[in-house]
């Protein structure tokens, strides 16, 4: 059986944001076993699973990605939407727009310190749409 819904996430500022509770609030009856697939319908934000306890990890992610893919490079040609736009597209390609998470005993089967991040790469990315598909 396949269930699907679309969640509109609130606008977040640039950075790495835990969205576990936002997602869980839309998941009422998970199957005993299955797969949860998340797909972000945007090209300047991404999804990741990582450390959910220490907020400094999210700050470090931002610093590292900005060093790997800096803004205001003279070789960028896609610049009409601002200096954060082209780097946001590259960062999205590096991290990716989707996640797959196992469901076990009606719960997402993630590690103790794992959380789901919305990686917002734009200064003002706006509301983001997330397609949630549950396979059981």
């Amino acid at each position: 059986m396949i269930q699907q819904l679309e969640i509109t996430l609130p606008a977040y500022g640039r950075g790495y944001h835990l969205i576990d509770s936002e997602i869980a609030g839309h998941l009422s009856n998970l199957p005993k076993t299955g797969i949860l697939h998340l797909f972000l319908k945007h090209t300047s934000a991404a999804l990741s699973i990582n450390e959910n306890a220490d907020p400094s990890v999210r700050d470090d992610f931002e610093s590292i990605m900005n060093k790997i893919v800096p803004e205001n490079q003279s070789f960028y040609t896609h610049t009409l939407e601002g200096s954060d736009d082209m780097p946001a597209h590259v960062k999205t390609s590096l991290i990716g727009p989707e996640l797959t998470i196992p469901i076990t005993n009606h719960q997402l089967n993630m590690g103790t310190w794992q959380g789901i991040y919305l990686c917002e790469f734009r200064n003002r990315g706006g509301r983001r749409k997330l397609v949630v598909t549950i396979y059981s």
Side-chain angles (χ1 to χ4, degrees):
M1 185 169 158
I2 300 173
Q3 301 172 322
Q4 192 170 76
L5 64 127
E6 189 168 293
I7 298 171
T8 300
L9 298 171
Y12 288 96
R14 185 173 176 157
Y16 293 72
H17 308 279
L18 283 170
I19 58 169
D20 301 61
S21 60
E22 185 74 34
I23 293 167
H26 290 88
L27 302 177
S28 54
N29 295 319
L30 290 175
K32 180 156 179 64
T33 59
I35 298 286
L36 175 75
H37 182 263
L38 303 173
F39 178 77
L40 190 62
K41 296 171 61 173
H42 299 275
T43 61
S44 57
L47 296 173
S48 182
I49 294 177
N50 218 295
E51 164 76 48
N52 69 356
D54 185 349
S56 69
V57 170
R58 297 189 295 265
D59 295 336
D60 288 345
F61 261 110
E62 177 74 11
S63 297
I64 291 165
M65 290 302 285
N66 289 336
K67 188 165 182 88
I68 293 170
V69 187
E71 293 182 15
N72 299 309
Q73 297 300 298
S74 61
F75 55 84
Y76 293 156
T77 58
H78 178 74
T79 59
L80 291 176
E81 295 180 55
S83 63
D84 64 338
D85 189 43
M86 189 59 223
H89 295 313
V90 174
K91 292 172 185 176
T92 297
S93 289
L94 291 173
I95 294 180
E98 63 184 314
L99 296 173
T100 302
I101 304 167
I103 299 168
T104 306
N105 294 322
H106 308 284
Q107 296 182 15
L108 298 182
N109 192 348
M110 294 175 36
T112 302
W113 306 112
Q114 289 182 318
I116 302 168
Y117 286 4
L118 171 69
C119 310
E120 179 56 68
F121 303 126
R122 297 296 308 269
N123 293 327
R124 289 173 291 286
R127 294 160 58 97
R128 301 297 192 170
K129 293 184 188 239
L130 185 64
V131 178
V132 178
T133 307
I134 302 166
Y135 300 89
S136 59

